[in-house]
């Protein structure tokens, strides 16, 4: 359970860091308004909703300037015909699968391949993972159109962190503790968990759709190739990674808190913490994808022997967290590359 606690809150709740720097002064100006005047001044106090409404045009102009500055940058994934884009994505996914399979999967299964019950269990888990990510995407789009992203950006980051942590962990552990036979309660809590992720990730929709699409494509390629390696490797070959990955995600989580705690003068420390959060996080959550894939197959074997119950909803949550954490980092990496050109 500790790995879920460390995986969920920190990378997702800090998604606001992916937004353009132009929005920071507006958010800080909102936070710097005296709290006492808002609470105790009856004549001059301004409701929070009115403040957000007034700041909305400023935020829109800032993001419009940011988007226009990126429109002239060539994008091989977004240029050419539809067939060329498809071939580009297929080549990237296929190359990733072949490369990772050659490096990490030299010793494959010796039991004649994946049994039907393992394949069915893994397919059901991937199906629920895709459905959960679809719920997150639809809910994030709806929340963004309703103005939720502006209110979230204007809130205190510690309030966002604490609120996202409480809601996400509450719905996640509620889903874990609900028996699979209790369909209504389990899927309701699971849907609530996905909506909680969407509420935190909705500000990412301020960025260019092409950038988000590329990040999603790269994330699918990375996770798909790693999951293929985990599914075809020897049984329980990578289950030992649980302990090292837990230590790694703890380090990544601590580095993610650095911008909220350290002063701006500690530039070198902030730079290294950013690199650990970004590139170290990619390595850690890539490892979690490998570990989770083999853990799912291990649970399928236990369920086939009657030693555990089948619960693909619980299994899908771990893959959703892996996807979201990798996706956020892909978005930041692609954004950094575009700003350097």
């Amino acid at each position: 359970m500790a790995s879920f606690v460390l995986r969920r809150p920190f990378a997702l709740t800090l998604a606001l860091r992916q937004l353009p720097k132009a929005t920071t002064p507006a958010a800080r100006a909102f936070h710097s308004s005296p709290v006492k005047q808002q609470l105790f001044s009856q004549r001059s106090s301004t409701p929070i909703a009115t403040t957000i409404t007034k700041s909305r045009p400023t935020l829109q102009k800032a993001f419009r300037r940011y988007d226009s500055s990126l429109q002239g940058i060539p994008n091989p994934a977004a240029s050419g015909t539809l067939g060329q884009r498809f071939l580009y994505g297929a080549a990237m996914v296929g190359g990733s699968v072949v490369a990772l399979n050659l490096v990490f999967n030299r010793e494959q299964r010796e039991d004649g391949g994946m049994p039907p019950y393992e394949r069915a269990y893994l397919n059901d888990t991937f199906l629920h993972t895709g459905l959960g990510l679809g719920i997150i995407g639809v809910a994030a789009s709806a929340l963004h159109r309703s103005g939720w992203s502006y209110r979230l950006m204007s809130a205190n980051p510690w309030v966002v962190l604490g609120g996202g942590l409480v809601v996400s962990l509450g719905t996640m552990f509620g889903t874990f503790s609900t028996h699979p036979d209790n369909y209504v309660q389990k899927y309701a809590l699971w849907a609530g968990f996905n909506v909680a992720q969407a509420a935190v990730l909705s500000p990412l929709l301020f960025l260019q759709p092409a950038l988000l699409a590329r990040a999603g494509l790269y994330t699918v390629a990375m996770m798909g190739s790693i999951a293929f390696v985990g599914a075809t490797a020897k049984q329980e070959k990578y289950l030992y990674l649980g302990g090292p990955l837990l230590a790694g995600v703890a380090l990544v989580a601590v580095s993610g808190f650095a911008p909220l705690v350290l002063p701006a003068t500690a530039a070198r420390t902030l730079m290294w913490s950013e690199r650990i959060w970004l590139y170290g996080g990619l390595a850690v959550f890539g490892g979690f994808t490998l570990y989770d894939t083999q853990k799912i197959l291990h649970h399928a074997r236990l369920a086939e022997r009657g030693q555990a119950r089948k619960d693909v909803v619980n299994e899908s949550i771990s893959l959703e967290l892996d996807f979201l954490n990798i996706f956020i980092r892909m978005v930041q990496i692609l954004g950094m590359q575009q700003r350097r050109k």
Side-chain angles (χ1 to χ4, degrees), residues 11-330:
L12 300 186
T13 314
L14 293 175
L16 299 178
R17 297 167 55 196
Q18 317 307 322
L19 294 174
K21 301 298 183 182
T23 61
T24 304
R28 289 184 179 177
F30 180 82
H31 291 308
S32 63
S33 59
V35 178
K36 292 183 179 180
Q37 293 181 3
Q38 293 181 4
L39 294 178
F40 302 108
S41 177
Q42 298 180 355
R43 295 183 179 178
S44 61
S45 61
T46 302
I48 296 178
T50 305
T51 306
I52 297 175
T53 303
K54 291 181 178 179
S55 63
R56 183 164 183 158
T58 304
L59 292 172
Q60 288 177 333
K61 292 179 181 178
F63 285 112
R64 199 173 292 119
R65 287 196 302 269
Y66 177 77
D67 287 339
S68 62
S69 65
L70 299 177
Q71 289 178 355
I73 299 175
N75 180 8
S79 59
T81 64
L82 181 61
Q84 291 175 340
R85 297 180 191 179
F86 178 78
L87 290 176
Y88 178 82
M92 184 175 59
V93 175
S96 301
V97 171
V98 173
L100 287 173
N101 194 50
L102 290 175
V103 174
F104 295 103
N105 204 14
R106 297 180 180 179
E107 298 181 3
Q108 296 188 351
R109 299 178 63 137
E110 300 175 352
D111 55 355
M114 187 182 300
Y117 64 87
E118 287 188 13
R119 184 179 294 107
Y121 193 76
L122 188 62
N123 290 339
D124 288 343
T125 302
F126 283 139
L127 177 63
H128 281 75
T129 302
L131 180 60
L133 294 174
I135 294 174
I136 293 173
V138 172
S141 178
L143 289 170
H144 183 71
R145 290 195 301 267
S146 68
W148 166 260
S149 300
Y150 296 99
R151 294 191 291 271
L152 186 66
M153 291 168 55
S154 300
N156 189 300
W158 288 105
V159 174
V160 175
L161 181 66
L165 180 64
V166 170
V167 176
S168 297
L169 292 183
T171 52
M172 183 175 67
F173 287 120
T175 305
F176 287 159
S177 60
T178 303
H179 196 276
D181 294 337
N182 191 353
Y183 295 106
V184 176
Q185 179 177 333
K186 192 169 190 68
Y187 279 92
L189 290 169
W190 179 62
F193 169 78
N194 291 322
V195 172
Q197 314 317 304
V200 177
L201 291 172
S202 61
L204 290 178
L205 295 178
F206 281 118
L207 302 179
Q208 276 191 332
L211 186 145
L212 298 178
R214 289 178 60 197
L217 178 63
Y218 295 163
T219 304
V220 170
M222 178 176 175
M223 286 195 63
S225 56
I226 294 175
F228 176 81
V229 171
T232 57
K234 294 179 63 175
Q235 293 183 3
E236 304 179 6
K237 179 180 179 180
Y238 296 108
L239 290 183
Y240 75 93
L241 293 176
L245 289 174
L246 181 60
V249 75
L251 178 61
V252 172
V254 171
S255 65
F257 271 120
L260 299 177
V261 178
L262 297 178
T265 54
R268 186 176 295 273
T269 304
L270 289 173
M271 179 187 67
W272 281 105
S273 66
E274 180 73 11
R275 291 179 179 177
I276 294 174
W277 185 87
L278 187 59
Y279 300 104
L282 274 181
V284 167
F285 291 107
F288 265 118
T289 303
L290 185 63
Y291 170 79
D292 289 333
T293 302
Q294 289 224 312
K295 184 186 68 174
I296 292 169
L297 296 177
H298 176 68
H299 290 169
R301 292 189 290 270
L302 293 179
E304 181 68 16
R305 294 195 293 263
Q307 298 177 358
R309 65 174 184 262
K310 295 182 179 180
D311 198 338
V312 293
V313 175
N314 287 0
E315 306 285 4
S316 67
I317 288 180
S318 60
L319 292 179
E320 286 183 46
L321 294 175
D322 297 336
F323 183 94
L324 294 176
N325 280 283
I326 294 174
F327 174 75
I328 290 172
R329 287 163 172 81
M330 287 293 184

